Amino acid sequence: MSLTDARRCGIVPHRGGVHARQPVPLGFVFRSRSKEEKAPTAKVTADLSKQPRDPEAPKGRPTPKRSEAQGQRRRASSGAPQDRKEAMKRQREARRADLAKQREALASGDERYLPARDKGPVRRFVRDFVDSRFCIAEFFLPLAVVILVLSMVRVAQLQNIALLLWLGVIVLIVVDSIGLSIRLKKQLRERFPNEPKRGAVAYGLMRTLQMRRLRLPKPQVKRGERP
């Protein structure tokens, strides 16, 4: 072996004639292999980073499937709520709008937006039948206030008068309500023979207990005007 070949193999001759192997640096052994292993990984990472991200995919999340993205676009275009919070908000807004329409209908008598208890031709006829007459029951609250004031006065005669007035008002209201019920039932049988009339008479009697200007829905006929 020549001196040049020995130096290439790491064998260096000493002065005493003994040949020793020179240690090879570790960097020389592992350098090429580590570079070769890291090169494909870096290449794959660079390729992945070059792929365009779907603009609809949230940051840091995987790109949604095509069917999911189409479903989201359809919901957005149709105006459907995206989540539960938005759905609850829309329900509250719709409820407020319905209440506003009901208040307007109670003042104007519009049948389209009246509450369920006031809807229908039967209930409308009952309201008109009651509103076209004088009913003693509608003066019950003012008379009750007057009787209460008289009963609080510490005069025996006034207290007796208040008691008699109280009994008289109750008797008159009962008699008037009975007569009104009989006439109302007769009219309902003649005008609405095939319509359900359950609760219609009680609905009319409850309306007689309210003062005319405070009734809801508002009266649509004048006194003395027959429906």
Side-chain angles (χ1 to χ4, degrees):
M1 179 184 295
S2 63
L3 181 59
T4 304
D5 295 337
R7 288 179 177 177
R8 288 178 180 176
C9 295
I11 302 173
V12 181
H14 289 263
R15 293 180 180 181
V18 181
H19 294 81
R21 182 180 295 274
Q22 186 177 1
V24 180
L26 294 176
F28 176 79
V29 177
F30 295 104
R31 180 177 58 187
S32 61
R33 184 177 178 182
S34 61
K35 288 182 179 180
E36 291 177 357
E37 290 179 353
K38 292 180 180 180
T41 305
K43 185 177 181 181
V44 172
T45 306
D47 294 340
L48 291 175
S49 63
K50 291 180 181 180
Q51 293 180 358
R53 186 177 68 84
D54 193 339
E56 295 184 359
K59 189 174 182 180
R61 298 182 182 178
T63 302
K65 296 181 180 179
R66 184 176 182 181
S67 59
E68 296 178 356
Q70 291 177 351
Q72 292 177 357
R73 285 194 294 269
R74 282 196 298 268
R75 287 195 297 271
S77 61
S78 63
Q82 299 292 332
D83 53 10
R84 184 178 179 183
K85 185 177 180 180
E86 185 177 356
M88 294 293 291
K89 181 180 179 181
R90 293 191 181 185
Q91 289 180 0
R92 288 194 297 269
E93 292 176 354
R95 194 180 301 113
R96 284 195 293 267
D98 292 340
L99 291 175
K101 290 181 179 179
Q102 285 185 5
R103 287 193 294 269
E104 294 177 0
L106 289 173
S108 62
D110 191 349
E111 288 280 344
R112 295 175 298 173
Y113 304 111
L114 286 176
R117 65 182 180 85
D118 298 316
K119 281 185 177 181
V122 175
R123 298 300 174 98
R124 182 179 181 86
F125 174 78
V126 171
R127 291 196 300 271
D128 294 343
F129 186 86
V130 172
D131 296 336
S132 64
R133 287 166 170 77
F134 280 97
C135 299
I136 299 176
E138 66 180 288
F139 303 105
F140 172 75
L141 289 178
L143 289 174
V145 173
V146 173
I147 293 170
L148 180 62
V149 172
L150 291 176
S151 63
M152 294 177 64
V153 178
R154 296 180 176 274
V155 178
Q157 294 180 352
L158 292 179
Q159 291 180 351
N160 292 332
I161 293 173
L163 180 59
L164 292 175
L165 285 175
W166 183 252
L167 293 175
V169 169
I170 292 177
V171 171
L172 290 175
I173 290 175
V174 171
V175 173
D176 186 56
S177 299
I178 292 174
L180 180 67
S181 301
I182 294 173
R183 293 192 299 270
L184 182 57
K185 286 180 181 179
K186 182 180 178 180
Q187 291 291 328
L188 289 174
R189 284 195 300 266
E190 293 177 356
R191 295 184 180 234
F192 307 97
N194 300 322
E195 294 286 340
K197 297 177 283 293
R198 184 177 180 181
V201 176
Y203 176 76
L205 292 177
M206 291 298 297
R207 190 171 177 85
T208 60
L209 292 173
Q210 302 170 359
M211 299 180 66
R212 180 181 173 87
R213 65 180 59 187
L214 300 179
R215 291 173 183 172
L216 291 175
K218 293 291 186 181
Q220 302 297 316
V221 296
K222 298 179 180 179
R223 292 189 188 273
E225 182 182 352
R226 294 294 179 261

